[in-house]
Amino acid sequence: MAETQGQLLPVYVLADESGSMHPYVGDLNAGLASLHRALLGEPMAAAKVRFSVIGFANSVTERLILADLRAESELPRLTASGGTSYEAAFAALLRRIPQDVDTLKSQGYRVHRPAVFFLSDGQPNYGEAWQDRHRELTDRSVTKAAPNIIACGIGQAQAETMLSVATQSEFAFISVPGAQLGESIAQFFTALTKSVVESGNAMASGNAELVVEKPEGFRLAIDEV
Amino acid sequence: MPNFPFGKRREPERKDRSGPGPASVPPPKPPPPLPAASSPPAYEPPPYEPPPPYEPPPYEPPPPYEPPPYEPPPYEPPKSGREAKAPARPPSPAPTPKSPQAAPPQAPPEPRREKGARHAGRPSPDRWARIVLGRPSPEFEPKPPPSDPYRPDTLFDGWSTPAITVRLASVRGDAHRYGGQPRQDDIAVAVHERTGAVVFAVADGVSQAKQSHVGAALACRTAVQDVMRQLDGGKTEVDWRRTVSAAAYQLVMRVTRGAEPSAEQRKEAQSLLATTLVTGLVQPLERGQLGVYLAHVGDSGAWLLHRGAFHPLLGGKAEREDGVFSSSVRALPWVPPQIEGTWFGVPEDGALLVGTDGFGDPLGDGTGMVGQTIKLELNRPPREPRALAQLLDFSRETFDDDRTLLAIWPRHRLEEPGGGPAGTATGTGGAVG
């Protein structure tokens, strides 16, 4: 244990970019931009976060990797087309997270358990074995730096699916029926910002690994099943 | 990480100590038993006499304010040549680029003052600027902490007994300054006059506990009081379990207001007041050496600083097997099943450091820039106690926790006013023996 350069929390936004998200892709991008603005106003927390944005449809697009948001002038823009491959999404994280943690550690940083914020509006492609990839990703005996996953389902997303994706039942949310999807997405990013700020501030001074805020307009998926 | 080389870690219950350390360091003798009190006098409270009734003095209006005549100070041109100036330092590097392969860790550059330079002659407005170690934390004006109880941003203290020199500081972390939260660390130190022992406690309130600053203060004061009482009672070995339990009990009593606690109230105390605690005492030994007893709950640390190396005396936080870092802590009022005081010797040219993880985390193993700076500045006691507060408040990005540090040297390491160290390494001082 030499001197550490700093202590970091890797945060991943894993966003559904399937075709069904097309009407809301503007809301997604607005949410990312507001998250960026909010974190720039929280320099203490922003310094401790490395931010990645990964979009998924039938395949995965890595749009931002381990960014220091204070150094970014603009966040990447998401698009929407194609299917909804949860398998591709979790396989990408399974490859990406151990590599990223090693990279940060090799730069002399102390790394906290990564946090994944998963946002999807629907069901995964039929017949995929995404659960196997998900299990490998979240099993700490397989993936040492297995992330905490917070799952937010919007629109038609089913509570059971979000509960399967989230690593704790209190990390699984679904939007309140009848709520505007655009509004739900905005609230998702507001909650994500709060979680990042509070986790960033707590991790250096206390015992929280991850502080999770329930987005307004969402409810715990566990209440649904 | 090297083991503590002085071979003096000892659990009081067992008499088999491990072998002596390297020949270069004369091992301190085992601790002498604390002298038994000859006959501790029973406490008799003085008879109560009610104070005389308060009579306000007659009011006299203050004289009108007259400003003193202004006299500009004589201008002294700066002396040419080699005046003390902070070494020039390149601007801090740009934030981490997007590429994960960029910027491997580099050798630590020189520490610097945040602005300006050290001054000679006329005081510089930047003379209190923070010392920057690496990439600085953002600059901002702190927000006030909650008003009750009053909790100053920074405290520092320093003094010497005939044998022991003490410097200490506790500073609010940048995260709490930015968020308007109180300093959750605390510290208490006292001298036990009859034995010459310096008794201390250092606590780090758990940030999730809403009043952990109250918990930290209570734990420190209770622990020090309890050790002092045990020494008063003439005990030759302090019962550290009793001390830690007393501190824990005080936290629970804060919730119950004196009543016997229910299980729920115990839980409430844990969620409201949780704090780590390191407590102990330092005794003068022969040949200017010191003996230290330490007991702890939670992750705060203690180090022997000796000949430029930091030897950890307590476990401290470590990265877990899964390679990610967790800052979860065990904290009072939870009391671990095993609490033992552990004994260490401090060589005559060494120093004992006890600090919260706000200090220990950026220190790491002490081989980086933070360690280089600390060991340079604390090889001997800084003459001015406030110097330790300024040193401890160094600016380093992402290290924004509260920091508390207690540093203790044999007094002969102090450069006394008027020049020269105080006496020789043979002084034992105090009343031990």
Side-chain angles (χ1 to χ4, degrees), chain A residues 116-150:
Chain A
V116 174
F117 290 83
F118 179 87
L119 182 67
S120 174
D121 75 335
Q123 291 299 294
N125 290 343
Y126 180 75
E128 271 191 355
W130 66 268
Q131 284 92 344
D132 292 343
R133 295 291 87 71
H134 179 274
R135 202 173 300 119
E136 285 177 62
L137 174 67
T138 54
D139 184 342
R140 295 184 187 186
S141 66
V142 179
T143 304
K144 283 183 180 175
N148 292 307
I149 303 180
I150 297 89

Side-chain angles (χ1 to χ4, degrees), chain A residues 3 48 103 107 111 113 207, chain B residues 100 208 322 325 327 370 400:
Chain A
E3 181 177 82
K48 285 182 277 192
T103 299
Q107 292 174 1
V111 183
R113 186 171 298 288
N207 62 1
Chain B
Q208 275 65 41
D322 55 14
F325 181 75
S327 50
V370 174
D400 52 17

